[in-house]
């Protein structure tokens, strides 16, 4: 029996996966639940186990190919399959023809039957290999976008398994096709002319290919800029009271709960309360429809050790108390930095908070995390002289100040609504009493 291996659906919102690496080659034996391949879905890598024990008969896609979920990506021959014997390359579609042959040539010797069956199998196998041209969905999409016909596509020499055309092959072909023919006589470009200076060595630039995560981030950010009409509003928040509360409670909180007391869950809790008053900030746009999300799925941007970024999501965050938010934020940050996030952990956000302030950024203007319509950037907390009104007149005080910058999609959120939402967060933070921090 031949078992088809499908590209798995790793999460509710995931429609495709990219093959990172095949752990087995054609012809190798594999045990049930042994890793067959590694795939990447958005920014998360996952190892995919083999559903059965047997021999790897076909790997239908190459490394770096992007494949839609539920697509057959490999075939495994089990122990009771004819494909596991010495003739495992034969096309099994000739079984019915063999049965007819055996009825017709009943009186022919067994040796002659075997010879004829082997000949028919080889002919069918050669025809199959000659006529079958397989292109991955990604290659087909690129060809369609760039106007490459099927006949033209068939002329491209593939570098993948079995000469299959992969992403790099078609992109290289398109680059060479679109390049302008050079003149037979070329004048040197001024930048290419070098002067021999004594006691001086010219440093050479280095070229590094983007990793998969960086490519995904780049695509996601450019896509967001193309989709959303970005607008920004910034507020200055006096968080002196919050700093004092944290300093007074952080040791007891750590001792009781085994996690650090940080500013992030305090800001996130304020966002949740503000969203409940201004629910349009928790919506998304689908064509010309406004999708009003009932749950607040809070995305928390996390910087990774390799300088990439990922946004795990706290689902139904409005149902969690302060300790629950703190634990989730701490858990997802640790999972992100140890590459332990599941695919579903990074999908489904309805609003996002990012915190460049932990790296010293005074404020930031972040790109909206699609399909959200809002993202809040939290700057660094700085001591500054601030003028305050008192019963004796204006006076200057040293206060802990924080800049909050709200990025929002002007297709749905107008300036007045966005500013009111940000002002609500400011109000909640400046009047924070810390009663929700139980120690």
């Amino acid at each position: 029996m031949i078992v088809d291996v499908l590209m798995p659906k790793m999460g509710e919102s995931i429609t495709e996966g990219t093959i990172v690496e095949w752990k087995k080659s054609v012809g190798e034996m594999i045990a049930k639940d042994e890793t067959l391949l590694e795939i990447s879905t958005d920014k998360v890598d996952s190892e995919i186990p083999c559903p059965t024990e047997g021999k790897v008969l076909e790997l239908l896609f190459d490394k770096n190919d992007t494949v839609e979920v539920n697509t057959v990506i490999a075939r495994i021959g089990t122990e009771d399959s004819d494909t596991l014997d010495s003739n495992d390359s034969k096309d099994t579609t000739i079984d019915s023809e063999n049965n007819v042959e055996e009825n017709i040539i009943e009186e022919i010797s067994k040796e002659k039957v075997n010879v004829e069956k082997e000949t028919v199998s080889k002919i069918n196998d050669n025809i199959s290999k000659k006529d079958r041209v397989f292109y991955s969905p990604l290659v087909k999409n690129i060809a369609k976008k760039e106007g490459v016909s099927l006949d033209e596509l068939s002329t491209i020499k593939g570098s993948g398994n079995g000469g299959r055309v992969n992403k790099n092959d078609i992109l290289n072909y398109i680059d060479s096709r679109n390049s302008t023919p050079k003149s037979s006589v070329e004048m040197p470009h001024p930048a290419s002319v070098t002067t021999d200076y004594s006691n001086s060595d010219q440093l050479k630039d280095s070229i590094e290919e983007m990793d998969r995560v960086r490519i995904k981030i780049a695509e996601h950010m450019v896509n967001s800029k193309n989709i959303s009409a970005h607008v920004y509003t910034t507020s200055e928040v006096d968080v002196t009271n919050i700093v004092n509360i944290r300093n007074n409670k952080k040791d007891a909180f750590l001792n009781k709960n085994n996690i650090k007391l940080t500013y992030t869950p305090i800001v996130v809790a304020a966002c949740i309360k503000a969203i409940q008053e201004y629910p349009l900030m928790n919506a998304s746009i689908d064509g010309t429809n406004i999708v009003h999300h009932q749950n607040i799925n809070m995305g928390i941007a996390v910087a990774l050790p390799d300088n990439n970024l990922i946004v795990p999501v706290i689902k139904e965050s409005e149902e969690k108390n302060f300790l629950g938010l703190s634990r989730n934020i701490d858990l997802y940050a640790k999972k992100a930095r140890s590459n332990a996030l599941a695919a579903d952990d990074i999908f489904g956000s309805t609003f996002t908070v990012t915190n460049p302030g932990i790296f010293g950024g005074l404020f930031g203007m972040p790109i909206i995390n699609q399909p959200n319509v809002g993202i809040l950037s939290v700057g660094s907390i700085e001591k500054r002289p601030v003028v305050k009104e008192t019963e004796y007149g204006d006076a200057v005080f040293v206060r802990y100040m924080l800049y909050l910058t709200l990025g929002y999609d002007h297709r749905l959120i107008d300036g007045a609504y966005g500013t009111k939402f940000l002002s609500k967060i400011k109000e909640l933070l400046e009047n924070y009493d810390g009663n929700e921090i139980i120690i």
Side-chain angles (χ1 to χ4, degrees):
M1 184 177 69
I2 297 177
V3 176
D4 290 339
V5 181
L6 306 180
M7 174 61 73
K9 187 175 179 64
M10 301 299 294
E12 184 178 345
S13 305
I14 297 174
T15 60
E16 62 185 16
T18 300
I19 296 173
V20 176
E21 180 184 4
W22 288 104
K23 300 295 186 179
K24 293 289 184 178
S25 302
V26 172
E28 288 189 311
M29 299 299 296
I30 188 169
K32 183 178 180 180
D33 295 330
E34 185 180 357
T35 300
L36 176 61
L37 74 158
E38 185 177 346
I39 67 170
S40 173
T41 53
D42 197 32
K43 303 173 188 176
V44 176
D45 293 348
S46 303
E47 292 185 343
I48 306 304
C50 186
T52 186
E53 179 183 11
K55 178 183 284 187
V56 179
L57 301 181
E58 287 186 278
L59 302 178
L60 300 178
F61 292 89
D62 297 321
K63 178 180 178 180
N64 296 325
D65 280 352
T66 299
V67 187
E68 294 182 0
V69 299
N70 296 326
T71 300
V72 178
I73 57 176
R75 292 190 173 95
I76 308 296
T78 59
E79 290 184 357
D80 58 349
S81 170
D82 292 338
T83 57
L84 293 183
D85 61 24
S86 60
N87 295 323
D88 59 4
S89 63
K90 297 176 184 177
D91 192 333
T92 58
T93 59
I94 65 170
D95 287 347
S96 60
E97 297 179 17
N98 290 342
N99 291 335
V100 174
E101 282 183 11
E102 290 170 359
N103 291 332
I104 296 176
I105 58 176
E106 289 178 346
E107 297 179 2
I108 302 177
S109 67
K110 184 176 181 181
E111 180 179 355
K112 185 175 181 180
V113 172
N114 291 335
V115 171
E116 291 186 2
K117 288 167 71 176
E118 182 176 358
T119 301
V120 172
S121 177
K122 288 182 178 179
I123 292 173
N124 285 342
D125 192 45
N126 291 334
I127 292 174
S128 175
K129 291 180 179 178
K130 179 181 177 182
D131 293 344
R132 186 182 70 181
V133 180
F134 182 84
Y135 301 108
S136 70
L138 178 63
V139 170
K140 291 180 180 178
N141 288 338
I142 295 174
K144 182 178 180 181
K145 182 178 179 181
E146 299 294 335
V148 178
S149 66
L150 187 60
D151 289 340
E152 190 177 0
L153 191 60
S154 66
T155 65
I156 301 175
K157 184 178 180 180
S159 62
N161 292 337
R164 191 172 291 126
V165 177
N166 59 28
K167 175 184 175 181
N168 290 333
D169 295 328
I170 189 170
L171 291 179
N172 291 335
Y173 172 79
I174 292 169
D175 288 341
S176 63
R177 184 188 67 172
N178 295 340
S179 61
T180 304
K182 297 182 179 179
S183 172
S184 58
V185 179
E186 295 183 352
M187 295 298 292
H189 190 278
S192 66
V193 178
T194 59
T195 305
D196 184 16
Y197 294 102
S198 59
N199 301 321
S200 175
D201 293 324
Q202 185 176 6
L203 298 177
K204 294 183 178 180
D205 295 338
S206 64
I207 299 175
E208 176 187 3
E209 185 176 356
M210 287 184 178
D211 59 33
R212 294 185 313 279
V213 174
R214 193 73 253 167
I215 292 172
K216 291 289 187 181
I217 292 173
E219 292 174 348
H220 196 55
M221 296 299 97
V222 171
N223 180 56
S224 181
K225 293 291 284 187
N226 289 336
I227 289 176
S228 296
H230 284 66
V231 181
Y232 296 95
T233 300
T234 298
S235 287
E236 189 176 28
V237 184
D238 186 340
V239 292
T240 305
N241 195 42
I242 291 177
V243 173
N244 292 333
I245 290 172
R246 177 183 176 271
N247 288 339
N248 291 332
K249 292 190 174 186
K250 63 180 182 179
D251 292 338
F253 188 84
L254 176 61
N255 291 334
K256 181 176 182 178
N257 303 301
N258 200 30
I259 55 172
K260 292 182 179 179
L261 177 59
T262 68
Y263 297 111
T264 301
I266 298 174
V267 175
V268 170
C271 280
I272 293 170
K273 291 177 182 177
I275 286 173
Q276 289 171 331
E277 188 168 332
Y278 295 91
L280 205 57
M281 293 302 307
N282 197 53
S284 61
I285 298 175
D286 181 13
T288 57
N289 296 323
I290 300 172
V291 181
H292 298 276
H293 300 291
Q294 301 305 305
N295 291 118
I296 302 172
N297 297 335
M298 189 65 67
I300 309 293
V302 177
L304 302 177
D306 59 2
N307 297 320
N308 285 321
L309 182 76
I310 200 165
V311 184
V313 181
I314 302 174
K315 306 290 176 56
E316 301 172 357
S317 61
E318 77 282 0
E319 297 181 1
K320 303 184 186 304
N321 60 16
F322 182 81
L323 179 59
L325 285 176
S326 298
R327 288 200 185 282
N328 274 261
I329 291 170
D330 180 71
L331 173 64
Y332 281 128
K334 289 177 179 177
K335 289 177 68 175
R337 292 172 185 135
S338 61
N339 196 29
L341 287 171
D344 259 351
D345 291 339
I346 63 171
F347 284 95
S349 68
T350 56
F351 189 87
T352 301
V353 174
T354 183
N355 188 4
I358 62 175
F359 303 108
L362 193 60
F363 65 88
M365 299 177 67
I367 297 175
I368 295 169
N369 183 29
Q370 294 297 323
N372 302 171
V373 295
I375 182 169
L376 183 72
S377 175
V378 182
S380 61
I381 296 175
E382 305 281 347
K383 280 184 179 181
R384 285 198 292 276
V386 178
V387 176
K388 294 282 188 179
E389 292 184 359
T390 72
E391 58 181 316
Y392 305 106
D394 292 344
V396 177
F397 297 90
V398 176
R399 306 290 290 179
Y400 286 97
M401 304 301 294
L402 166 70
Y403 284 116
L404 294 179
T405 301
L406 176 69
Y408 50 99
D409 190 342
H410 211 338
R411 294 179 302 162
L412 180 61
I413 308 298
D414 292 329
Y417 194 93
T419 302
K420 289 178 182 178
F421 170 74
L422 186 59
S423 296
K424 183 62 180 180
I425 297 175
K426 172 183 169 75
E427 175 191 334
L428 291 168
L429 292 177
E430 290 189 336
N431 292 283
Y432 187 74
D433 57 18
N435 290 336
E436 60 187 4
I437 304 176
I438 301 174
I439 56 177

